[in-house]
CSV table of all heavy atoms in Angstrom, one decimal:
chain,number,residue,atom,x,y,z
A,263,LYS,N,10.6,0.4,-8.8
A,263,LYS,CA,9.3,0.1,-8.3
A,263,LYS,C,8.3,0.2,-9.5
A,263,LYS,O,7.4,-0.6,-9.7
A,263,LYS,CB,8.9,1.0,-7.2
A,263,LYS,CG,7.5,0.7,-6.6
A,263,LYS,CD,7.1,1.6,-5.4
A,263,LYS,CE,6.7,3.0,-5.9
A,263,LYS,NZ,6.2,3.8,-4.8
A,264,LEU,N,8.4,1.3,-10.3
A,264,LEU,CA,7.4,1.6,-11.3
A,264,LEU,C,7.5,0.6,-12.4
A,264,LEU,O,6.5,0.2,-13.1
A,264,LEU,CB,7.6,3.0,-11.9
A,264,LEU,CG,7.3,4.2,-11.0
A,264,LEU,CD1,7.6,5.5,-11.7
A,264,LEU,CD2,5.8,4.1,-10.6
A,265,ALA,N,8.7,0.0,-12.6
A,265,ALA,CA,8.8,-1.0,-13.7
A,265,ALA,C,8.5,-2.4,-13.3
A,265,ALA,O,8.2,-3.2,-14.1
A,265,ALA,CB,10.3,-1.0,-14.2
A,266,VAL,N,8.5,-2.7,-12.0
A,266,VAL,CA,8.3,-4.1,-11.5
A,266,VAL,C,6.9,-4.5,-11.4
A,266,VAL,O,6.5,-5.6,-11.3
A,266,VAL,CB,9.1,-4.3,-10.2
A,266,VAL,CG1,8.3,-3.8,-9.0
A,266,VAL,CG2,9.5,-5.7,-10.0
A,267,HIS,N,5.9,-3.5,-11.2
A,267,HIS,CA,4.6,-3.9,-11.1
A,267,HIS,C,3.8,-3.9,-12.4
A,267,HIS,O,3.6,-2.9,-13.0
A,267,HIS,CB,3.9,-2.8,-10.1
A,267,HIS,CG,4.4,-2.9,-8.7
A,267,HIS,ND1,5.4,-2.1,-8.2
A,267,HIS,CD2,3.9,-3.7,-7.6
A,267,HIS,CE1,5.6,-2.4,-7.0
A,267,HIS,NE2,4.8,-3.3,-6.6
A,268,HIS,N,3.4,-5.1,-12.8
A,268,HIS,CA,2.7,-5.4,-14.0
A,268,HIS,C,1.9,-6.7,-13.9
A,268,HIS,O,1.6,-7.2,-12.7
A,268,HIS,CB,3.6,-5.4,-15.2
A,268,HIS,CG,4.9,-6.2,-14.9
A,268,HIS,ND1,4.9,-7.6,-14.8
A,268,HIS,CD2,6.2,-5.8,-14.7
A,268,HIS,CE1,6.1,-8.0,-14.5
A,268,HIS,NE2,6.9,-6.9,-14.5
A,269,SER,N,1.5,-7.3,-15.0
A,269,SER,CA,0.7,-8.5,-14.9
A,269,SER,C,1.4,-9.7,-14.4
A,269,SER,O,0.9,-10.7,-14.0
A,269,SER,CB,0.1,-8.8,-16.3
A,269,SER,OG,1.2,-9.0,-17.2
A,270,GLU,N,2.8,-9.7,-14.4
A,270,GLU,CA,3.6,-10.8,-13.9
A,270,GLU,C,4.6,-10.3,-12.9
A,270,GLU,O,5.8,-10.6,-13.0
A,270,GLU,CB,4.3,-11.5,-15.1
A,270,GLU,CG,3.3,-12.1,-16.1
A,270,GLU,CD,3.9,-12.8,-17.2
A,270,GLU,OE1,5.2,-12.9,-17.3
A,270,GLU,OE2,3.2,-13.4,-18.1
A,271,THR,N,4.2,-9.4,-12.0
A,271,THR,CA,5.1,-8.9,-11.0
A,271,THR,C,5.9,-10.0,-10.2
A,271,THR,O,5.3,-11.0,-9.7
A,271,THR,CB,4.2,-8.1,-10.0
A,271,THR,OG1,3.5,-7.1,-10.6
A,271,THR,CG2,5.1,-7.5,-8.9
A,272,PRO,N,7.2,-9.9,-10.2
A,272,PRO,CA,8.0,-10.8,-9.4
A,272,PRO,C,7.9,-10.7,-8.0
A,272,PRO,O,7.5,-9.5,-7.5
A,272,PRO,CB,9.4,-10.5,-9.9
A,272,PRO,CG,9.4,-9.1,-10.2
A,272,PRO,CD,8.0,-8.8,-10.8
A,273,LEU,N,8.1,-11.7,-7.2
A,273,LEU,CA,8.1,-11.6,-5.8
A,273,LEU,C,9.1,-10.7,-5.2
A,273,LEU,O,10.3,-10.7,-5.7
A,273,LEU,CB,8.3,-13.0,-5.1
A,273,LEU,CG,8.3,-13.1,-3.6
A,273,LEU,CD1,6.9,-12.8,-3.1
A,273,LEU,CD2,8.7,-14.5,-3.2
A,274,HIS,N,8.8,-9.8,-4.4
A,274,HIS,CA,9.7,-8.7,-3.8
A,274,HIS,C,9.3,-8.4,-2.4
A,274,HIS,O,8.2,-8.8,-1.9
A,274,HIS,CB,9.7,-7.5,-4.7
A,274,HIS,CG,8.3,-6.9,-4.9
A,274,HIS,ND1,7.3,-7.3,-5.7
A,274,HIS,CD2,7.7,-5.8,-4.2
A,274,HIS,CE1,6.3,-6.6,-5.6
A,274,HIS,NE2,6.4,-5.7,-4.7
A,275,ARG,N,10.2,-7.6,-1.7
A,275,ARG,CA,9.9,-7.3,-0.4
A,275,ARG,C,9.0,-6.0,-0.2
A,275,ARG,O,9.3,-5.0,-0.9
A,275,ARG,CB,11.2,-7.1,0.4
A,275,ARG,CG,12.0,-8.3,0.6
A,275,ARG,CD,13.3,-8.1,1.3
A,275,ARG,NE,14.1,-9.3,1.4
A,275,ARG,CZ,15.4,-9.4,1.6
A,275,ARG,NH1,16.1,-8.3,1.7
A,275,ARG,NH2,16.0,-10.6,1.7
A,276,GLY,N,8.1,-6.1,0.7
A,276,GLY,CA,7.3,-4.9,1.0
A,276,GLY,C,7.1,-4.9,2.5
A,276,GLY,O,7.7,-5.6,3.3
A,277,PHE,N,6.1,-4.1,2.9
A,277,PHE,CA,5.7,-4.1,4.3
A,277,PHE,C,4.3,-3.4,4.4
A,277,PHE,O,3.9,-2.6,3.5
A,277,PHE,CB,6.7,-3.3,5.3
A,277,PHE,CG,6.8,-1.9,5.0
A,277,PHE,CD1,5.9,-1.0,5.5
A,277,PHE,CD2,7.8,-1.3,4.2
A,277,PHE,CE1,5.9,0.4,5.2
A,277,PHE,CE2,7.9,0.0,3.9
A,277,PHE,CZ,6.9,0.9,4.4
A,278,SER,N,3.6,-3.6,5.5
A,278,SER,CA,2.4,-2.9,5.8
A,278,SER,C,2.5,-2.4,7.3
A,278,SER,O,3.1,-3.1,8.1
A,278,SER,CB,1.2,-3.8,5.7
A,278,SER,OG,0.9,-4.2,4.4
A,279,CYS,N,1.9,-1.3,7.5
A,279,CYS,CA,2.0,-0.7,8.9
A,279,CYS,C,0.6,-0.2,9.3
A,279,CYS,O,-0.2,0.4,8.5
A,279,CYS,CB,3.0,0.4,9.0
A,279,CYS,SG,3.1,1.2,10.6
A,280,TYR,N,0.3,-0.4,10.5
A,280,TYR,CA,-1.0,0.0,11.2
A,280,TYR,C,-0.5,1.1,12.3
A,280,TYR,O,0.1,0.7,13.2
A,280,TYR,CB,-1.7,-1.2,11.8
A,280,TYR,CG,-2.3,-2.1,10.8
A,280,TYR,CD1,-1.4,-3.0,10.1
A,280,TYR,CD2,-3.6,-2.1,10.5
A,280,TYR,CE1,-1.9,-3.9,9.1
A,280,TYR,CE2,-4.2,-3.0,9.5
A,280,TYR,CZ,-3.3,-3.8,8.9
A,280,TYR,OH,-3.9,-4.7,7.9
A,281,LEU,N,-0.9,2.3,12.0
A,281,LEU,CA,-0.5,3.4,12.9
A,281,LEU,C,-1.7,3.7,13.9
A,281,LEU,O,-2.8,3.8,13.5
A,281,LEU,CB,-0.2,4.7,12.1
A,281,LEU,CG,0.2,5.9,12.9
A,281,LEU,CD1,1.5,5.7,13.5
A,281,LEU,CD2,0.1,7.1,11.9
A,282,PHE,N,-1.3,3.8,15.2
A,282,PHE,CA,-2.2,4.0,16.3
A,282,PHE,C,-1.9,5.3,17.0
A,282,PHE,O,-0.7,5.7,17.1
A,282,PHE,CB,-2.2,2.8,17.2
A,282,PHE,CG,-2.7,1.6,16.6
A,282,PHE,CD1,-1.8,0.7,16.0
A,282,PHE,CD2,-4.1,1.2,16.7
A,282,PHE,CE1,-2.3,-0.5,15.4
A,282,PHE,CE2,-4.6,0.0,16.1
A,282,PHE,CZ,-3.7,-0.8,15.5
A,283,ASP,N,-3.0,5.9,17.5
A,283,ASP,CA,-2.7,7.2,18.3
A,283,ASP,C,-2.7,6.8,19.8
A,283,ASP,O,-2.7,5.7,20.2
A,283,ASP,CB,-3.8,8.2,18.0
A,283,ASP,CG,-5.2,7.8,18.4
A,283,ASP,OD1,-5.4,6.8,19.1
A,283,ASP,OD2,-6.1,8.6,18.1
A,284,SER,N,-2.7,7.8,20.6
A,284,SER,CA,-2.5,7.7,22.1
A,284,SER,C,-3.7,7.0,22.7
A,284,SER,O,-3.6,6.5,23.8
A,284,SER,CB,-2.2,9.0,22.8
A,284,SER,OG,-3.2,9.9,22.5
A,285,ASP,N,-4.9,7.0,22.0
A,285,ASP,CA,-6.1,6.3,22.5
A,285,ASP,C,-6.3,4.9,21.9
A,285,ASP,O,-7.3,4.3,22.1
A,285,ASP,CB,-7.3,7.2,22.2
A,285,ASP,CG,-7.3,8.5,22.9
A,285,ASP,OD1,-6.9,8.5,24.1
A,285,ASP,OD2,-7.7,9.5,22.2
A,286,GLY,N,-5.3,4.5,21.2
A,286,GLY,CA,-5.4,3.2,20.5
A,286,GLY,C,-6.2,3.1,19.3
A,286,GLY,O,-6.7,2.0,18.8
A,287,GLN,N,-6.5,4.2,18.7
A,287,GLN,CA,-7.3,4.3,17.4
A,287,GLN,C,-6.3,4.1,16.3
A,287,GLN,O,-5.2,4.6,16.3
A,287,GLN,CB,-8.0,5.6,17.3
A,287,GLN,CG,-9.1,5.8,18.3
A,287,GLN,CD,-10.1,6.9,17.9
A,287,GLN,OE1,-11.2,6.8,17.5
A,287,GLN,NE2,-9.5,8.1,18.0
A,288,ILE,N,-6.8,3.4,15.2
A,288,ILE,CA,-6.0,3.2,14.0
A,288,ILE,C,-6.3,4.3,13.0
A,288,ILE,O,-7.4,4.7,12.8
A,288,ILE,CB,-6.3,1.8,13.4
A,288,ILE,CG1,-5.5,1.6,12.1
A,288,ILE,CG2,-7.8,1.6,13.2
A,288,ILE,CD1,-5.7,0.3,11.5
A,289,LEU,N,-5.3,4.7,12.2
A,289,LEU,CA,-5.4,5.6,11.1
A,289,LEU,C,-5.7,4.7,9.8
A,289,LEU,O,-4.8,4.1,9.4
A,289,LEU,CB,-4.2,6.5,10.9
A,289,LEU,CG,-4.3,7.6,9.8
A,289,LEU,CD1,-5.5,8.6,10.2
A,289,LEU,CD2,-3.0,8.3,9.6
A,290,VAL,N,-6.9,4.8,9.3
A,290,VAL,CA,-7.2,4.1,8.1
A,290,VAL,C,-7.1,5.1,6.9
A,290,VAL,O,-7.5,6.2,7.0
A,290,VAL,CB,-8.7,3.6,8.2
A,290,VAL,CG1,-9.0,2.7,6.9
A,290,VAL,CG2,-8.9,2.8,9.4
A,291,THR,N,-6.5,4.6,5.8
A,291,THR,CA,-6.2,5.6,4.7
A,291,THR,C,-6.8,5.0,3.4
A,291,THR,O,-7.0,3.8,3.2
A,291,THR,CB,-4.7,5.7,4.4
A,291,THR,OG1,-4.1,4.5,4.1
A,291,THR,CG2,-4.1,6.3,5.7
A,292,GLN,N,-7.2,5.9,2.5
A,292,GLN,CA,-7.6,5.6,1.2
A,292,GLN,C,-6.5,5.9,0.2
A,292,GLN,O,-6.0,7.0,0.1
A,292,GLN,CB,-8.9,6.4,0.8
A,292,GLN,CG,-9.4,6.1,-0.5
A,292,GLN,CD,-10.6,6.9,-1.0
A,292,GLN,OE1,-10.7,8.1,-0.5
A,292,GLN,NE2,-11.5,6.4,-1.8
A,293,ARG,N,-6.1,4.9,-0.5
A,293,ARG,CA,-5.0,5.0,-1.4
A,293,ARG,C,-5.4,6.0,-2.5
A,293,ARG,O,-6.5,6.1,-3.0
A,293,ARG,CB,-4.7,3.6,-2.0
A,293,ARG,CG,-4.0,2.7,-1.0
A,293,ARG,CD,-4.0,1.3,-1.5
A,293,ARG,NE,-3.2,1.1,-2.7
A,293,ARG,CZ,-1.8,1.0,-2.7
A,293,ARG,NH1,-1.2,1.0,-1.5
A,293,ARG,NH2,-1.1,0.8,-3.8
A,294,SER,N,-4.4,6.8,-3.0
A,294,SER,CA,-4.6,7.8,-4.0
A,294,SER,C,-5.2,7.1,-5.3
A,294,SER,O,-4.8,6.0,-5.7
A,294,SER,CB,-3.3,8.5,-4.4
A,294,SER,OG,-3.4,9.2,-5.5
A,295,SER,N,-6.2,7.8,-5.9
A,295,SER,CA,-6.7,7.3,-7.1
A,295,SER,C,-5.7,7.4,-8.3
A,295,SER,O,-6.0,6.8,-9.3
A,295,SER,CB,-8.0,8.2,-7.5
A,295,SER,OG,-7.6,9.5,-7.6
A,296,ASN,N,-4.6,8.0,-8.1
A,296,ASN,CA,-3.5,8.0,-9.1
A,296,ASN,C,-2.5,6.9,-8.9
A,296,ASN,O,-1.6,6.8,-9.8
A,296,ASN,CB,-2.8,9.4,-9.0
A,296,ASN,CG,-3.7,10.6,-9.3
A,296,ASN,OD1,-4.5,10.5,-10.3
A,296,ASN,ND2,-3.5,11.7,-8.6
A,297,LYS,N,-2.6,6.1,-7.9
A,297,LYS,CA,-1.7,5.0,-7.7
A,297,LYS,C,-1.8,4.0,-8.8
A,297,LYS,O,-2.9,3.7,-9.3
A,297,LYS,CB,-1.9,4.4,-6.4
A,297,LYS,CG,-1.1,5.1,-5.2
A,297,LYS,CD,-1.3,4.3,-3.9
A,297,LYS,CE,-0.5,4.9,-2.8
A,297,LYS,NZ,1.0,4.7,-2.9
A,298,ARG,N,-0.7,3.3,-9.2
A,298,ARG,CA,-0.7,2.3,-10.2
A,298,ARG,C,-1.3,1.0,-9.7
A,298,ARG,O,-2.1,0.3,-10.4
A,298,ARG,CB,0.8,2.0,-10.7
A,298,ARG,CG,0.8,0.9,-11.7
A,298,ARG,CD,2.3,0.8,-12.2
A,298,ARG,NE,2.5,-0.3,-13.1
A,298,ARG,CZ,2.1,-0.3,-14.4
A,298,ARG,NH1,1.6,0.8,-14.9
A,298,ARG,NH2,2.4,-1.4,-15.2
A,299,THR,N,-1.1,0.7,-8.4
A,299,THR,CA,-1.6,-0.5,-7.8
A,299,THR,C,-2.8,-0.2,-6.8
A,299,THR,O,-2.6,0.7,-5.9
A,299,THR,CB,-0.5,-1.3,-7.1
A,299,THR,OG1,0.1,-0.5,-6.1
A,299,THR,CG2,0.5,-1.8,-8.1
A,300,PHE,N,-3.9,-0.8,-7.0
A,300,PHE,CA,-5.1,-0.7,-6.1
A,300,PHE,C,-5.4,0.8,-5.8
A,300,PHE,O,-5.5,1.2,-4.6
A,300,PHE,CB,-4.8,-1.5,-4.9
A,300,PHE,CG,-4.7,-2.9,-5.1
A,300,PHE,CD1,-3.6,-3.6,-5.5
A,300,PHE,CD2,-5.9,-3.7,-4.9
A,300,PHE,CE1,-3.6,-4.9,-5.8
A,300,PHE,CE2,-5.9,-5.1,-5.2
A,300,PHE,CZ,-4.7,-5.7,-5.6
A,301,PRO,N,-5.6,1.6,-6.9
A,301,PRO,CA,-6.0,3.0,-6.6
A,301,PRO,C,-7.4,3.2,-6.0
A,301,PRO,O,-8.3,2.4,-6.3
A,301,PRO,CB,-6.0,3.6,-8.0
A,301,PRO,CG,-6.3,2.4,-8.9
A,301,PRO,CD,-5.6,1.3,-8.3
A,302,GLY,N,-7.5,4.1,-5.1
A,302,GLY,CA,-8.8,4.4,-4.5
A,302,GLY,C,-9.3,3.5,-3.5
A,302,GLY,O,-10.4,3.7,-2.9
A,303,VAL,N,-8.5,2.5,-3.1
A,303,VAL,CA,-8.9,1.5,-2.1
A,303,VAL,C,-8.6,1.9,-0.7
A,303,VAL,O,-7.6,2.5,-0.5
A,303,VAL,CB,-8.3,0.1,-2.4
A,303,VAL,CG1,-8.6,-0.9,-1.4
A,303,VAL,CG2,-8.7,-0.4,-3.8
């Protein structure tokens, strides 16, 4: 993973997940500022 993300990242498999609680609320997260891709977003 660390080697594949750069200016010419090849197509690869990922996923996204939206987590909900018992009241139907979503948990929104802020990505770590130390992440290589999209930090702090």
Side-chain angles (χ1 to χ4, degrees):
K263 183 180 77 171
L264 291 179
V266 81
H267 291 92
H268 45 68
S269 62
E270 298 181 1
T271 301
L273 184 62
H274 58 280
R275 289 177 184 160
F277 67 82
S278 292
C279 180
Y280 292 73
L281 180 69
F282 294 89
D283 68 7
S284 56
D285 295 321
Q287 294 193 110
I288 179 179
L289 184 64
V290 185
T291 62
Q292 183 184 27
R293 293 167 62 84
S294 169
S295 56
N296 295 320
K297 277 185 175 287
R298 179 174 174 81
T299 56
F300 292 85
V303 174

